[in-house]
Amino acid sequence: MREVFSPESLEALWPLLEAPSWALLAGGTDLLVKMRAGRSDPAAFICLERIAELRGVREGETDLWIGACTSHAELICHPLVERHLPVLHQALRTLGSPLIRRMGTLGGNICTASPAGDTLPPLYVLDAVLELRSQSGMRRVPIGEFITGPGRTGLEQGEILAGVRVEKPGGRQVHHFEKVGQRKAMAIGVASMAALLRLSVDGEIFSARFAWGSVGPTVMTCAPAEALLAGKRPSRGVFEQAAAVAMAAVAPIDDVRASAEYRRRVSGNLLLRLFPEGSTLT
Amino acid sequence: MEIRFVLNGKETQVSTAPDRRVVDLLREDLGLTGTKEGCGSGECGACAVLVNGESRLSCLMLAAQLDGKALTTIEGAPEDGRLQALQEAFVRCGAVQCGFCSPGMIIAAADLLGARPDTGREAIREGLSGNLCRCTGYAKIVDAVQAAFEKLQGGPTP
Ligand SMILES: Cc1cc2nc3c(=O)[nH]c(=O)nc-3n(C[C@H](O)[C@H](O)[C@H](O)COP(=O)(O)OP(=O)(O)OC[C@H]3O[C@@H](n4cnc5c(N)ncnc54)[C@H](O)[C@@H]3O)c2cc1C
Ligand code: FES
Ligand code: FES
């Protein structure tokens, strides 16, 4: 039998974190599945769900803060997320199933650090900064530095992910997320892509951000493809060039769901879909 | 550990291991076998229950998490108008064959109804996308949910 602790405040949480063999449990949709498969065997659980300080969405002047323990279903219904972060909103709607979204949390998705984690590509293109808290204080780390490999993060002993901070994007923008999988619900993506284009008033691409899921050991970005589009007027031609650069840059694997070659093609095609199809650009 | 919660409308206190899965607590300790276990890992939806009115998978939930909450299972239907209307519609529309998936389907549909009562067929399909059925197929299940929704809104009854 394992003990289950359900602290109701951060104050009550800190002393519990001193035991390294105790596992943090948010929604449990990754941890309990992993335990059942025999890939994790914690000595006790520390449930985070009753700590109000870790939940909800708060609006600052220039940014939004999302509590790590906010469920995907709560985020989908949140007007601030829908208005300011459509790329994240679109990704959340493809994550798991309604039942999984009721339980799973944003923080759990980040800390699991799966290359297929659906909220990760949007958080990369939004330049999300993670707030890691411990008894001794807080540090802020960009998401790309926090996730260091498949299932590996920079979380230290005694630390939790408390929340995620994202700048509220301003001006003319195109947000886009798409996941290619074998089935709409519940399927781990064969490949996914988040895109965030900022456009100038006269329609030039001011900056472009892309991040792909399931085509490398962590989420993949591609600075050369982004640089190629910056300052250009959207056209099929420049998107074709960027797609070719991206296809060469991703590092997919062969597995039961798809071949590496297929994933590479899909990565490029997902970028091409921004133009002209489904296009807010034309 | 002593756990106090409201089970199908009644104050309940049980003594159990804190890490016991809720599905086991319900089926084995409390004899409420309406809730089913299919996959045990979040994929099939058969074990769905309502916690504080919202759906949860009881195979991925620990007994300790219930403390202080309100749990509704399929057996709680007479107390919950949503569940009862859905049960009746499932029977009427032929949406039940072996019945194994039905409690979970009805719970997921009740959650959808609570969150988005104005829902159409496409949204019902999406709402039930975490629930698997191996015998009925999904058309009659969607029919049943739609009929129950219309009934609860005072619309046309089939
Ligand atoms: C059937 C099924 C389908 C799924 N489909 C998808 C899908 O389509 N896309 C997808 O991306 N994921 C999917 N998942 C995975 C999972 O639901 C998500 O990754 C979810 O966001 C995990 O959140 P959680 O709160 O349940 O995490 P938990 O299981 O509670 O925790 C996961 C890990 O993160 C740690 N952790 C959690 N919160 C914190 C915190 N605040 N600080 C520090 N550490 C923390 C835990 O200790 C644990 O190691 C699916 C899972 C299942 C079972
Ligand atoms: S038994 Fe819980 S989802 Fe299948
Ligand atoms: S009726 Fe048999 S599994 Fe659905």
Side-chain angles (χ1 to χ4, degrees), chain A residues 24 117 121 127 264:
Chain A
L24 293 171
D127 286 322
R264 194 179 289 286

Side-chain angles (χ1 to χ4, degrees), chain A residues 25-34 99-100 103-105, chain B residues 41 57 60:
Chain A
L25 181 101
T29 59
D30 277 320
L31 181 64
L32 297 181
V33 170
K34 216 165 146 188
L99 288 164
I100 291 294
M103 302 179 77
T105 65
Chain B
S41 53
L57 295 166
L60 297 180

Side-chain angles (χ1 to χ4, degrees), chain A:
Chain A
M1 186 193 86
R2 298 177 182 86
E3 201 60 61
V4 180
F5 300 95
S6 304
E8 301 202 351
S9 66
L10 288 175
E11 278 305 294
L13 169 72
W14 304 132
L16 298 170
L17 295 184
E18 279 159 23
S21 59
W22 296 358
L24 293 171
L25 181 101
T29 59
D30 277 320
L31 181 64
L32 297 181
V33 170
K34 216 165 146 188
M35 282 177 59
R36 187 181 157 87
R39 288 184 289 119
S40 174
D41 185 19
F45 296 105
I46 307 171
C47 285
L48 299 174
E49 65 179 359
R50 292 175 199 243
I51 308 179
E53 295 142 283
L54 299 177
R55 303 182 77 124
V57 182
R58 282 170 231 149
E59 186 172 20
E61 216 152 87
T62 58
D63 60 8
L64 291 178
W65 180 89
I66 304 175
C69 293
T70 318
S71 74
H72 303 308
E74 274 171 87
L75 289 177
I76 287 174
C77 295
H78 205 290
L80 286 172
V81 175
E82 192 170 0
R83 173 144 49 98
H84 293 295
L85 313 174
V87 63
L88 180 61
H89 184 258
Q90 290 166 31
L92 288 165
R93 292 207 47 195
T94 75
L95 192 154
S97 66
L99 288 164
I100 291 294
R101 299 198 287 263
R102 277 270 186 234
M103 302 179 77
T105 65
L106 185 67
N109 200 233
I110 297 170
C111 291
T112 288
S114 157
D118 283 323
T119 67
L120 303 180
L123 293 174
Y124 274 68
V125 299
L126 289 164
D127 286 322
V129 173
L130 309 186
E131 289 188 358
L132 308 176
R133 288 184 67 172
S134 66
Q135 185 149 29
S136 56
M138 195 230 288
R139 61 185 179 113
R140 292 202 167 93
V141 182
I143 187 160
E145 284 170 32
F146 179 71
I147 296 176
T148 54
R152 285 204 312 272
T153 69
L155 203 67
E156 282 167 14
Q157 174 63 36
E159 239 178 9
I160 61 155
L161 173 60
V164 178
R165 212 168 265 289
V166 255
E167 293 291 315
K168 277 188 283 191
R172 244 187 104 191
Q173 312 203 340
V174 178
H175 287 233
H176 177 78
F177 177 86
E178 190 172 357
K179 168 159 92 170
V180 176
Q182 290 166 327
R183 178 173 176 251
K184 244 187 181 166
M186 300 294 214
I188 299 177
V190 161
S192 65
M193 187 192 77
L196 177 56
L197 304 182
R198 294 183 170 84
L199 303 176
S200 67
V201 268
D202 59 353
E204 252 179 27
I205 300 171
F206 181 71
S207 75
R209 295 297 312 275
F210 303 108
W212 288 265
S214 302
V215 294
T218 62
V219 167
M220 305 289 292
T221 53
C222 182
E226 294 172 350
L228 213 148
L229 289 175
K232 301 263 166 59
R233 208 153 263 293
S235 72
R236 180 76 186 181
V238 285
F239 276 87
E240 273 170 2
Q241 285 172 34
V245 171
M247 273 184 345
V250 295
I253 55 161
D254 289 301
D255 72 5
V256 288
R257 287 188 296 276
S259 68
E261 184 46 38
Y262 176 77
R263 285 197 164 93
R264 194 179 289 286
R265 287 278 282 279
V266 170
S267 301
N269 289 348
L270 283 172
L271 202 161
L272 274 184
R273 291 224 195 154
L274 278 168
F275 197 95
E277 275 167 5
S279 172
T280 1
L281 292 175
T282 46

Side-chain angles (χ1 to χ4, degrees), chain A residues 99, chain B residues 21 23 36-48 57-60 130:
Chain A
L99 288 164
Chain B
R21 298 182 314 163
V23 66
K36 308 299 183 209
E37 177 172 10
C39 64
S41 53
E43 314 244 358
C44 75
C47 66
L57 295 166
S58 62
C59 72
L60 297 180

